[in-house]
Amino acid sequence: MVYASARVCLYGLPPPPKRDAPLARLCGSAGSTHAHPSSLADRFGVESREPDRQRMRLLWRSSFRTARCREEEREKNPAFAVPFVVECEGVEQEMAAGLGSLLRECPLLLPQNREGSVYEGFVTAQGRDFHIRILLPLDRQVKNARIQCSWRLKKVLGGYQQILKQRLQQSLDLVSFMVELKTILEVALKNTPELHAPPPPQYYSDLIRDIETLGWNKVVFIDPGFGTIKLKAEDSSGRDHVITLKLNPKYPSEPPDCLVDLPVPFAVSWSPQSSLLSIHSQFLAALESLKEFWNALDEIDEKTWVLEPEKPTRSATLRRIALVVNPLKIKLNSNIHLWDPEISLLSNLKEVLEIDFPSREALKQSDFSMDCGICYAYRLEGAIPDQVCDDPHCGQPFHQACLFEWLRGLPSSRQSFNVIFGECPYCNKQITLKMSMKKV
């Protein structure tokens, strides 16, 4: 519920009245200051918009009935009515004009008393109605208003309390604040996960049956609401994998969302008769199709010094490895015909490049310094030195961003589009740097 005076906070509405509550109490009499909600959505979290709209029609009838009785009283006693009209005519005209604007903006938000200090009804955004009550002070200053709402609206606006407070302080009247509230609500609904009612009992029974068929030993994690399940699988090479399933209340009629750590997309073939076992079987088949790929990467990870990524995942397809020979382009071009698809990737690289790859255990950090020659750091905003001086006697590495800033500051450097030419900061030999167009 939104409560705003000096601050904005959210709390729930009071419990709804009993079914036999009198209409005057439900709608708010002339002297009442509160109106009690009777929405099933507020009490049980169940969408029930039609009874709420019926209640709004009763509120309209009650308001018209009160106005009609007041006019009849004036006709019977003109002497009493004239001073009342003279005293309240300006206020009532102002309230009528404001109410007309409010009804055009929020047709389901109605006044609950004659003073116009209590409004209750619904604010609509993206085709959904949210129960709300606004309590204005006697001076009808919106900045001192108290705003209450249902648990659904409270959850949607949970992260927008400070913005609501600012809009409440800046709004000149209730109509302008409701316009701001609806705008904030539209944005909040786009950034809020869909609020679902609890799944039916059949959902849980089907899910438990599927888990028992699959085997509880395959389950790694289940959240308390049975909406997220993590299953483990082991491929034929003994590698462990995990698949995360995000289920919706319509399971098994609709497939769950599958999150996997694979280098290729994983699409599930699903039918209403499918189960967790079928997903697990399809996941195992996908793992077997990537067996040779992971064997090659595991050999590289085990027998070479992988510089990037430091902790590769199963979906990572690139490896940046340390070498002790520079340059390699000439050997690669002259020996590419020696590539043999029948042997492993690492063996082919050794044959073509005519080198042995150093392992992390065989070398120390000091033996293979990769610190940038400009900033003297290894990592800069997640990037490692990836530019090396072309002179084999120098071979100093640099971060791309550091070298670009250095060369751009030299008066002797020249640039052509995204390529900059200059001198190495260490050996003064010619060095060329090609930058991405975004950084230039």
Side-chain angles (χ1 to χ4, degrees), residues 237-289:
S237 298
R239 289 180 285 258
D240 293 327
H241 305 267
V242 174
I243 178 172
T244 302
L245 306 179
K246 300 285 187 178
L247 295 94
N248 59 65
K250 296 183 179 180
Y251 176 87
S253 300
E254 295 183 0
D257 296 329
C258 301
L259 306 178
V260 295
D261 187 19
L262 300 180
V264 294
F266 178 67
V268 176
S269 177
W270 187 264
S271 67
Q273 292 74 33
S274 300
S275 63
L276 298 183
L277 181 60
S278 61
I279 294 181
H280 193 266
S281 301
Q282 295 178 54
F283 184 52
L284 285 175
L287 298 180
E288 289 303 313
S289 66

Side-chain angles (χ1 to χ4, degrees), residues 110-122:
L110 303 178
Q112 301 296 297
N113 59 3
R114 185 171 58 188
E115 293 80 8
S117 61
V118 179
Y119 289 83
E120 184 180 356
F122 300 88

Side-chain angles (χ1 to χ4, degrees), residues 50-115:
E50 186 57 30
D52 293 334
R53 295 183 182 275
Q54 293 178 1
R55 176 170 170 268
M56 298 310 297
R57 287 195 288 268
L58 293 177
L59 290 173
W60 270 107
R61 293 173 184 172
S62 176
S63 300
F64 288 142
R65 188 159 49 246
T66 301
R68 190 183 307 112
C69 293
R70 190 161 56 199
E71 292 296 330
E72 293 176 355
E73 186 65 26
R74 291 179 182 177
E75 292 177 359
K76 295 179 182 178
N77 191 356
F80 172 78
V82 170
F84 179 81
V85 172
V86 173
E87 179 181 358
C88 301
E89 181 177 6
V91 178
E92 290 189 348
Q93 289 179 354
E94 180 183 354
M95 290 179 58
L99 182 59
S101 302
L102 181 63
L103 289 177
R104 284 191 295 271
E105 188 64 37
C106 300
L108 296 181
L109 185 65
L110 303 178
Q112 301 296 297
N113 59 3
R114 185 171 58 188
E115 293 80 8

Side-chain angles (χ1 to χ4, degrees), residues 10-212:
L10 303 179
Y11 61 93
L13 286 169
K18 298 180 180 179
R19 292 181 177 272
D20 58 351
L23 181 63
R25 181 185 176 190
L26 179 66
C27 301
S29 61
S32 67
T33 58
H34 296 278
H36 298 272
S38 61
S39 170
L40 292 175
D42 294 327
R43 188 170 188 181
F44 302 107
V46 179
E47 292 291 350
S48 180
R49 294 173 59 181
E50 186 57 30
D52 293 334
R53 295 183 182 275
Q54 293 178 1
R55 176 170 170 268
M56 298 310 297
R57 287 195 288 268
L58 293 177
L59 290 173
W60 270 107
R61 293 173 184 172
S62 176
S63 300
F64 288 142
R65 188 159 49 246
T66 301
R68 190 183 307 112
C69 293
R70 190 161 56 199
E71 292 296 330
E72 293 176 355
E73 186 65 26
R74 291 179 182 177
E75 292 177 359
K76 295 179 182 178
N77 191 356
F80 172 78
V82 170
F84 179 81
V85 172
V86 173
E87 179 181 358
C88 301
E89 181 177 6
V91 178
E92 290 189 348
Q93 289 179 354
E94 180 183 354
M95 290 179 58
L99 182 59
S101 302
L102 181 63
L103 289 177
R104 284 191 295 271
E105 188 64 37
C106 300
L108 296 181
L109 185 65
L110 303 178
Q112 301 296 297
N113 59 3
R114 185 171 58 188
E115 293 80 8
S117 61
V118 179
Y119 289 83
E120 184 180 356
F122 300 88
V123 58
T124 303
Q126 294 188 4
R128 299 171 57 183
D129 295 339
F130 297 91
H131 196 178
I132 189 172
R133 179 193 298 161
I134 303 175
L135 306 176
L136 296 173
L138 295 179
D139 58 3
R140 301 180 64 196
Q141 293 292 323
V142 179
K143 63 181 181 180
N144 297 323
R146 294 168 54 200
I147 304 174
Q148 303 172 341
C149 66
S150 63
W151 72 270
R152 288 180 178 272
L153 188 55
K154 170 184 175 182
K155 187 170 184 179
V156 172
L157 297 178
Y160 297 83
Q161 297 186 31
Q162 187 63 29
I163 299 178
L164 286 172
K165 176 183 176 181
Q166 295 176 357
R167 298 297 187 269
L168 195 65
Q169 296 294 325
Q170 298 170 0
S171 298
L172 300 177
D173 51 27
L174 183 58
V175 178
S176 60
F177 172 71
M178 292 306 299
V179 173
E180 296 288 348
L181 177 60
K182 291 177 67 175
T183 302
I184 296 173
L185 185 56
E186 291 281 351
V187 175
L189 285 173
K190 294 179 181 179
N191 301 326
T192 302
E194 189 68 22
L195 301 177
H196 293 290
Q202 187 65 29
Y203 167 84
Y204 298 100
S205 60
D206 292 342
L207 189 56
I208 294 297
R209 184 192 65 240
D210 289 351
I211 295 177
E212 290 178 347

Side-chain angles (χ1 to χ4, degrees), residues 132-412:
I132 189 172
R133 179 193 298 161
I134 303 175
L135 306 176
L136 296 173
L138 295 179
D139 58 3
R140 301 180 64 196
Q141 293 292 323
V142 179
K143 63 181 181 180
N144 297 323
R146 294 168 54 200
I147 304 174
Q148 303 172 341
C149 66
S150 63
W151 72 270
R152 288 180 178 272
L153 188 55
K154 170 184 175 182
K155 187 170 184 179
V156 172
L157 297 178
Y160 297 83
Q161 297 186 31
Q162 187 63 29
I163 299 178
L164 286 172
K165 176 183 176 181
Q166 295 176 357
R167 298 297 187 269
L168 195 65
Q169 296 294 325
Q170 298 170 0
S171 298
L172 300 177
D173 51 27
L174 183 58
V175 178
S176 60
F177 172 71
M178 292 306 299
V179 173
E180 296 288 348
L181 177 60
K182 291 177 67 175
T183 302
I184 296 173
L185 185 56
E186 291 281 351
V187 175
L189 285 173
K190 294 179 181 179
N191 301 326
T192 302
E194 189 68 22
L195 301 177
H196 293 290
Q202 187 65 29
Y203 167 84
Y204 298 100
S205 60
D206 292 342
L207 189 56
I208 294 297
R209 184 192 65 240
D210 289 351
I211 295 177
E212 290 178 347
T213 303
L214 176 64
W216 286 95
N217 60 329
K218 301 292 194 306
V219 179
V220 178
F221 168 82
I222 300 180
D223 72 335
F226 279 74
T228 301
I229 299 179
K230 294 183 179 181
L231 305 177
K232 65 179 181 180
E234 182 178 320
D235 59 22
S236 58
S237 298
R239 289 180 285 258
D240 293 327
H241 305 267
V242 174
I243 178 172
T244 302
L245 306 179
K246 300 285 187 178
L247 295 94
N248 59 65
K250 296 183 179 180
Y251 176 87
S253 300
E254 295 183 0
D257 296 329
C258 301
L259 306 178
V260 295
D261 187 19
L262 300 180
V264 294
F266 178 67
V268 176
S269 177
W270 187 264
S271 67
Q273 292 74 33
S274 300
S275 63
L276 298 183
L277 181 60
S278 61
I279 294 181
H280 193 266
S281 301
Q282 295 178 54
F283 184 52
L284 285 175
L287 298 180
E288 289 303 313
S289 66
L290 296 168
K291 175 183 175 180
E292 297 301 327
F293 171 76
W294 282 324
N295 287 342
L297 290 182
D298 286 348
E299 184 182 15
I300 293 177
D301 294 339
E302 180 182 355
K303 298 181 180 180
T304 67
W305 185 350
V306 177
L307 301 176
E308 247 184 332
E310 289 186 346
K311 297 181 179 180
T313 61
R314 290 301 175 188
S315 59
T317 59
L318 299 178
R319 296 294 190 272
R320 187 186 184 94
I321 58 179
L323 300 176
V324 294
V325 177
N326 186 42
L328 299 174
K329 184 180 297 185
I330 298 176
K331 292 186 177 181
L332 179 62
N333 293 334
S334 59
N335 296 334
I336 191 64
H337 64 281
L338 300 177
W339 190 278
D340 184 3
E342 299 298 328
I343 61 178
S344 67
L345 174 63
L346 184 60
S347 300
N348 271 309
L349 291 176
K350 290 180 179 180
E351 185 73 19
V352 172
L353 299 178
E354 299 179 357
I355 61 172
D356 288 327
F357 292 89
S359 63
R360 183 179 293 270
E361 293 76 11
L363 293 177
K364 299 179 181 178
Q365 179 69 24
S366 58
D367 297 330
F368 192 81
S369 176
M370 281 291 294
D371 291 345
C372 174
I374 298 176
C375 70
Y376 301 106
Y378 178 63
R379 289 196 174 274
L380 178 65
E381 297 180 353
I384 66 173
D386 56 356
Q387 303 295 318
V388 181
C389 178
D390 295 332
D391 189 344
H393 299 288
C394 178
Q396 179 63 44
F398 306 97
H399 291 117
Q400 187 183 65
C402 295
L403 186 58
F404 178 76
E405 294 297 332
W406 175 275
L407 295 177
R408 192 170 63 170
L410 295 178
S412 59

